[in-house]
Amino acid sequence: MTTTTTTAADLIARRLYEAGCRHAFGIPGGEVLTMMNALRAAGIEFHLAKHENAAGFMAEGTHHVSGAPGILLATIGPGAANAVNVTANAWQDRVPLIVLTGCVDEDEALTYTHQVFDHREIFRPITKASFRLGAGGAATLADKAVALALDPRPGPVHIDLPISDTARAVDEAGPRRVRPSPTAPAPGPDLERARTWLAAAERPLLLAGLDAMDGADANAVADFARRYSMPLVTSYKAKGILAEDDPLALGGAGLSPTADAELLPLVRDADLIMLAGYDPIEMRTGWRDAWDPARQHVIDIQAVSNDHYMHHAGLSFTCDVAPALRAIAEDVAPRAVWPDGAPARARETLAGAFRQNEAWGPAAITRTVRAALPRDAIATADSGAHRILLSQVWECYQPRTLLQSTGLCTMGCAVPLAAGAKLADPRRAVVAFTGDAGLEMILGELASLRDLRVPVIIVVFVDASLALIELKQRGTGLANLGVDFQETDFAAVAEAMGGRGRVVEDRESLAAEVTAALEADSFTVLACRIERMAYDGRL
């Protein structure tokens, strides 16, 4: 009679599977082989990347589609060190990421030093928690990690896996945690005051952010905006909470001075500002104290009490967004708002403010690709000048359909984010937008796209320059230094690495190539040449 031994790794993997995880990413090492096999046995497919940083972004891409935590697996020493950037990104971008690192046993580390350093000390400042697996409690540890990663405010959790303890036979499963029900504001004077403010508002404005992206909250924000004819501004990552072809949608805000010139006057003129899951970690300094709660009514709804002091509010409700909006709306009838039509004028101005309608350029490229893709397409954006422009021009019709690094603003994220999203939902069209420097940073991941067989579309803005930094250099009167480089033949590189590559320099050709890429069975790189300084006057 054959008996199957259950290991600590098996229990961890099963709990991750029960949490909805179906994909894990990383690079193998001897210290994580047991964990890799356990993940596969539990029904979680392991995908090989070329760098742990990219693997973490692939994991994030799956989260935005599935809602389950992403899984990053890294081996001891250099593997764990390579995972630091993407973990810090998950911390600042509120991404539930389970970071599993292999390590030597504790008694072994007393004398054995090869590749050994204290992983937990490295990860502790950039995670919600850092654990080390012990001789028991593996299932409880995994359950706790998932709960911490997903609970407000979401973020990464690290688990260090000693070799012997990971492979140890266990016979306990531990109780599973039941996630708490959504919380609502308590009845009382503050809630009554919020209703009074809403009933009296003539110029109300709604701002939504990272903490309002999930289904019930996103739907509640959209319904609230429509019920009260309340114009909505979102942070970049929250775009699509209200479909952006809705007349009430004023688009995203965060880093664009051009957008701020239209949106901040509305903020200053509003008599009621409602913040729905609005997290200012995405916003530039121009949004610090953008309103005055001494003369404006400001209601802040957030799942975690804000301690950033970047803005202040007259009323704050620490609870879930959807039940809070329902409670505030109770018995409050809609009324006519914004009699001067200022939000509609701002929306009309923004529709052409970024040169979206010119013959060629970064905004024209963005609009052309958007028109050629289905309504439910997912886009990803790397960091750089193109991201600011694209976040203003690209229209989202659902939440989590424009993925990017907004808190940490790290380069090299767009392609792996796209890979993860495509793996999680192969039927969706997925396009990655990147600058040429950003793509050069992670060229090895084109081989990952080949091996994973994910036919994503990659649009490269080719100007042989770190355009945003070059623009800042000129703006501050500094010399051009360290921002220019030779142009890479990205079409040839794509072909050499098993994909399709094309150079495009006009809208008609671009639209045709995007359409062709949708039918391709491999990834496609579309190298879009633009002029140097093409972002001047467009951000």
Side-chain angles (χ1 to χ4, degrees):
M1 180 176 178
T2 302
T3 59
T4 302
T5 300
T6 299
T7 67
D10 292 325
L11 288 183
I12 292 172
R14 290 174 192 171
R15 282 296 166 90
L16 293 175
Y17 182 88
E18 290 166 359
C21 302
R22 297 295 182 268
H23 302 273
F25 303 84
I27 299 177
E31 294 76 15
V32 295
L33 295 181
T34 299
M35 192 70 241
M36 282 177 58
N37 286 343
L39 290 169
R40 182 179 182 182
I44 299 173
E45 188 172 359
F46 177 80
H47 304 286
L48 174 65
K50 297 300 179 280
H51 193 283
E52 289 81 0
N53 193 57
F57 281 116
M58 291 178 189
E60 178 183 341
T62 66
H63 158 70
H64 289 300
V65 173
S66 71
I71 302 175
L72 169 59
L73 187 66
T75 193
I76 191 173
N82 281 347
V84 168
N85 179 79
V86 75
T87 305
N89 182 83
W91 172 252
Q92 291 219 335
D93 275 47
R94 321 311 191 195
V95 176
L97 180 69
I98 306 297
V99 182
L100 304 173
T101 58
C103 65
V104 299
D105 298 338
E106 196 164 3
D107 55 352
E108 181 79 354
L110 292 173
T111 57
Y112 184 75
T113 58
H114 179 66
Q115 293 187 306
V116 174
F117 61 83
D118 192 334
H119 294 170
R120 294 186 64 194
E121 285 299 307
I122 296 295
F123 284 102
R124 189 174 284 114
I126 54 172
T127 57
K128 296 184 73 175
S130 179
F131 299 110
R132 181 184 175 96
L133 176 66
T140 301
L141 177 60
D143 195 39
K144 182 180 288 189
V146 169
L148 284 170
L150 290 171
D151 283 353
R153 177 171 284 141
V157 175
H158 167 241
I159 304 177
D160 219 14
L161 302 169
I163 299 171
S164 295
D165 289 329
T166 304
R168 188 186 305 275
V170 295
D171 56 7
E172 59 85 23
R176 289 190 62 194
R177 174 182 181 270
V178 178
R179 296 197 71 190
S181 299
T183 56
D190 283 353
L191 186 54
E192 291 302 322
R193 189 176 299 114
R195 290 169 178 159
T196 299
W197 288 358
L198 176 60
E202 296 181 350
R203 298 182 308 281
L205 189 66
L206 187 57
L207 269 68
L210 278 169
D211 289 340
M213 293 197 302
D214 288 333
D217 289 338
N219 291 337
V221 171
D223 291 344
F224 192 91
R226 294 190 188 104
R227 178 178 179 183
Y228 293 102
S229 301
M230 193 176 294
L232 173 67
V233 178
T234 69
S235 66
Y236 287 165
K237 212 158 189 176
K239 281 167 64 73
I241 283 179
L242 178 66
E244 292 189 306
D245 55 357
D246 189 299
L248 291 170
L250 299 181
L255 301 177
S256 167
T258 299
D260 287 356
E262 300 300 322
L263 298 176
L264 285 175
L266 295 178
V267 172
R268 290 189 287 267
D269 289 345
D271 57 2
L272 172 65
I273 300 171
M274 297 192 64
L275 310 175
Y278 172 74
D279 186 344
I281 198 166
E282 295 189 72
M283 313 303 284
R284 73 185 187 94
T285 55
W287 285 81
R288 182 187 292 136
D289 291 324
W291 50 82
D292 181 5
R295 66 173 185 82
Q296 295 170 283
H297 292 153
V298 182
I299 302 172
D300 197 0
I301 305 167
Q302 70 282 320
V304 176
S305 181
N306 283 324
D307 57 6
H308 47 69
Y309 285 84
M310 186 154 167
H311 65 247
H312 299 80
L315 290 174
S316 292
F317 297 105
T318 303
C319 60
D320 292 280
V321 171
L325 291 177
R326 285 194 296 268
I328 293 171
E330 189 174 325
D331 296 327
V332 179
R335 60 175 296 175
V337 295
W338 292 98
D340 63 354
R345 288 196 302 275
R347 177 179 167 82
E348 184 178 357
T349 299
L350 289 171
F354 303 95
R355 305 187 189 178
Q356 296 98 312
N357 302 315
E358 63 186 2
W360 189 247
I365 291 167
T366 302
R367 286 289 294 272
T368 301
V369 176
R370 173 69 274 192
L373 291 179
R375 190 174 175 87
D376 69 345
I378 297 173
T380 69
D382 217 291
S383 287
H386 75 276
R387 180 176 78 90
I388 300 174
L389 186 66
L390 186 136
S391 296
Q392 302 297 154
V393 174
W394 183 268
E395 280 198 350
C396 294
Y397 309 113
Q398 301 170 17
R400 298 185 186 274
T401 51
L402 178 57
L403 313 181
Q404 53 185 292
S405 171
T406 56
L408 195 63
C409 297
T410 186
M411 288 176 68
C413 67
V415 170
L417 278 171
K422 188 69 173 178
L423 279 169
D425 190 351
R427 72 174 185 82
R428 300 274 287 276
V430 181
V431 58
F433 290 92
T434 180
D436 40 10
L439 184 55
E440 288 175 344
M441 184 179 285
I442 51 95
L443 276 177
E445 301 308 329
L446 295 183
S448 297
L449 298 184
R450 175 199 65 207
D451 297 341
L452 294 173
R453 297 187 176 131
V454 282
V456 300
I457 304 168
I458 303 171
V459 176
V460 193
F461 296 92
V462 181
D463 58 3
S465 173
L466 294 171
L468 184 59
I469 306 306
E470 189 276 334
L471 182 61
K472 290 181 178 181
Q473 283 179 335
R474 281 188 286 121
T476 54
L478 295 173
N480 180 291
L481 179 63
V483 293
D484 296 332
F485 44 88
Q486 293 185 33
E487 181 178 322
T488 295
D489 187 344
F490 290 109
V493 171
E495 296 281 347
M497 299 188 79
R500 302 171 65 251
R502 303 290 188 272
V503 177
V504 289
E505 298 182 89
D506 63 81
R507 281 193 172 205
E508 184 178 357
S509 299
L510 178 58
E513 291 295 350
V514 171
T515 300
L518 289 172
E519 302 299 323
D521 57 4
S522 64
F523 72 89
T524 299
V525 174
L526 302 178
C528 298
R529 286 199 179 103
I530 57 175
E531 295 180 354
R532 284 180 55 82
M533 305 180 186
Y535 297 96
D536 286 15
R538 292 174 170 86
L539 301 182

